[in-house]
Amino acid sequence: MPYFDTASAAPLHPVARQALLAALDEGWADPARLYREGRRARLLLDAAREAAAEAVGCRPDELVFTSSGTTAVHAGIAGALSGRRRVGRHLALSAVEHSSVLHSAAAHEAAGGSFTEVPVERSGAVDPAAYAGALRADTALACLQSANHEVGTEQPVAEVAALCAEAGVPLLVDAAQSLGWGPVAGRWSLLTASAHKWGGPAGVGLLAVRKGVRFAPQGPAGERESGRAPGFENLPAIVAAAASLRAVRDEAAAEAVRLRALVGRIRSVVAERVGDVEVVGDPERRLPHLVTFSCLYVDGETLLHELDRHGFSVSSGSSCTSSTLEPSHVLKAMGVLSEGNVRVSLPMGTAEADVDRFLDVLPGVVAEVRERLGAPVSAPPSPAPAASLVVDALGRRCPIPVIELAKVIGEVPVGATVTVLADDEAARLDIPAWCEMREQEYVGEEPADRGSAYVVRRVS
């Protein structure tokens, strides 16, 4: 069964498995102790730190191991903000950061601080000039991911890092998605990553803090990992994480070329074979293994279940599922279609035949899901003109409001409007995106007794 969700968690690399088993026998003792077993454990920990630091591009004494990538993000942001509290309490970040960064920002605001979200372009990348405009005299820290976890767009980290250095603001880079493919360029100040993203074991994160960056660890003090990650080190997992990072880096150059070609094929073939689809993210400045596309008139949860039934494990960048009606904050910030969202992230070694079979299966699965939902299969005919139409989609979750809009748009004359009543938050994003794809005019949103009224004018 092809596993196409390595952006969530990569399969355990064979080198990680070997290192983990060996370290279980050799690295079980306390590395802080001076007896023989402790010294042996300390040697393993030091070697792992040196290997990880080399891959990151920092000094070994600048890097600590944490219990997860999320823990690294939280500790890094809290420590940097506290270390520079005399400068101010303002935090700058992009609107498409990982939820761990957003949660840290929310906690900072609740404690009396403030933050600014820098908007992104439709590709998902920030404009360095716009990011620089968010930096203030009281900005204590800036955050920017190296590459987006949902759409794969690479961020201009080197350019933003230079602007932050010019302003005297440290930059924290979340490199969870990209570190396995190569080091992060630029003059960053702090960096975080997570081992299970590159084929290491879960439960190991990295936090690098450059010398000279003011940093004050938060929470009760600890004696281990420079006081920045309290608790006993999971030495076998750390050894496996460092060994697998070195191994995937050795394979990265060749695999990046091969997987970039496979992802390029997915991007082009999906657009050719599936109607009413939007492939999102930057087509060039992107991770080599990840592609995301959104299908009109498709319920994303149903689509993922159907692909799973056909043997493909994929995920969705959108959280418009049965558990929540909120669309993905990343897709929302980009202003792209959120319904029927599919993220494909290929692990190293993915066979070309598996990708071909996915592309053969996908169009039929999308058509089947659309048919179940009663979605239009072609442009509707234009009967006798009507003065105006109101579509009541209250109480109905995405993608039903857009489907109903598509069914009736041809029933009004060119220049007339259709008003869609909807209380689904995703409609605020999907209806404007539908208008752009179908070259209709989105007039705007108006308040309604329940939910909102979205007004669309027929252009053609």
Side-chain angles (χ1 to χ4, degrees):
M1 178 174 178
Y3 177 77
F4 288 171
D5 191 24
T6 191
S8 293
L12 192 66
H13 194 282
V15 169
R17 185 182 300 276
Q18 294 167 7
L20 181 65
L21 293 175
L24 286 172
D25 291 331
E26 298 293 328
W28 51 267
D30 185 348
R33 300 305 174 192
L34 299 179
Y35 43 69
R36 179 183 56 194
E37 293 84 359
R39 295 195 305 272
R40 187 183 302 145
R42 168 57 65 178
L43 287 174
L44 288 174
L45 180 59
D46 289 345
R49 197 182 313 279
E50 288 179 9
E54 181 182 4
V56 168
C58 67
R59 293 169 33 162
D61 60 352
E62 294 175 330
L63 184 143
V64 299
F65 295 103
T66 67
S67 59
S68 69
T70 294
T71 300
V73 167
H74 291 170
I77 292 177
L81 287 172
S82 179
R84 284 173 48 84
R85 59 188 177 276
R86 291 185 180 178
V87 173
R89 304 198 65 192
H90 178 250
L91 172 67
L93 63 153
S94 84
V96 294
E97 294 299 313
H98 187 268
S99 59
S100 59
V101 176
L102 300 184
H103 292 159
S104 287
H108 176 60
E109 184 179 50
S114 64
F115 68 90
T116 298
E117 284 191 2
V118 182
V120 296
E121 300 168 347
R122 195 169 178 84
S123 68
V126 298
D127 177 3
Y131 202 104
L135 302 178
R136 310 185 325 205
D138 64 337
T139 301
L141 178 66
C143 298
L144 182 64
Q145 60 197 193
S146 56
N148 187 260
H149 52 287
E150 290 191 20
V151 301
T153 296
E154 293 179 335
Q155 299 290 353
V157 172
E159 296 94 319
V160 171
L163 293 168
C164 287
E166 206 175 295
V169 177
L171 176 68
L172 181 148
V173 176
D174 170 17
Q177 287 296 339
S178 73
L179 192 60
W181 297 104
V184 177
R187 298 161 60 190
W188 50 265
S189 302
L190 303 95
L191 183 142
T192 63
S194 186
H196 73 276
K197 302 291 188 181
W198 67 67
V204 178
L206 305 181
L207 169 61
V209 182
R210 297 279 198 199
K211 293 295 181 183
V213 175
R214 291 187 176 277
F215 192 90
Q218 298 302 285
E223 293 78 23
R224 300 173 186 271
E225 295 301 298
S226 304
R228 295 173 182 172
F232 196 95
E233 297 95 343
N234 184 351
L235 187 52
I238 287 172
V239 169
S244 58
L245 180 55
R246 175 176 286 177
V248 298
R249 280 289 189 83
D250 290 341
E251 305 164 0
E255 271 297 277
V257 172
R258 198 179 70 83
L259 293 182
R260 184 174 289 275
L262 290 178
V263 165
R265 175 167 167 71
I266 295 173
R267 292 180 68 93
S268 60
V269 173
V270 166
E272 292 169 4
R273 296 184 186 176
V274 181
D276 295 312
V277 69
E278 182 177 15
V279 182
V280 302
D282 195 296
E284 300 298 331
R285 292 191 59 168
R286 58 176 173 82
L287 293 172
H289 68 303
L290 195 156
V291 57
T292 298
F293 53 89
S294 300
C295 305
L296 270 171
Y297 320 131
V298 170
D299 173 70
E301 184 182 17
T302 302
L303 181 57
L304 297 190
H305 282 313
E306 287 302 309
L307 287 171
D308 179 59
R309 195 167 63 84
H310 284 79
F312 293 98
S313 300
V314 299
S315 65
S316 175
S318 171
S319 60
C320 183
T321 65
S322 58
S323 61
T324 174
L325 296 181
E326 287 287 331
S328 155
H329 72 277
V330 170
L331 302 178
K332 187 174 183 179
M334 293 168 62
V336 298
L337 187 68
S338 71
E339 67 184 55
N341 183 262
V342 175
R343 182 184 67 181
V344 176
S345 48
L346 307 177
M348 290 186 172
T350 296
E352 185 176 351
D354 287 338
V355 171
D356 288 339
R357 190 164 70 84
F358 174 78
L359 293 172
D360 289 338
V361 166
L362 179 67
V365 170
V366 173
E368 181 183 340
V369 174
R370 284 174 172 167
E371 185 178 0
R372 282 191 218 163
L373 292 171
V377 294
S378 61
S382 298
S388 63
L389 278 178
V390 175
V391 174
D392 186 352
L394 293 169
R396 309 183 75 181
R397 64 187 288 260
C398 67
I400 299 302
V402 180
I403 290 177
E404 295 302 318
L405 169 61
K407 286 180 179 179
V408 303
I409 191 68
E411 298 178 17
V412 301
V414 173
T417 62
V418 175
T419 299
V420 182
L421 303 177
D423 50 8
D424 178 359
E425 177 67 21
R428 182 169 286 114
L429 179 63
D430 290 343
I431 290 177
W434 179 91
C435 291
E436 181 166 334
M437 291 180 68
R438 286 306 186 89
E439 298 183 339
Q440 306 296 343
E441 180 187 351
Y442 177 62
V443 177
E445 177 184 352
E446 300 175 354
D449 291 340
R450 284 178 54 205
S452 297
Y454 302 93
V455 182
V456 176
R457 178 173 287 110
R458 184 180 176 189
V459 175
S460 59

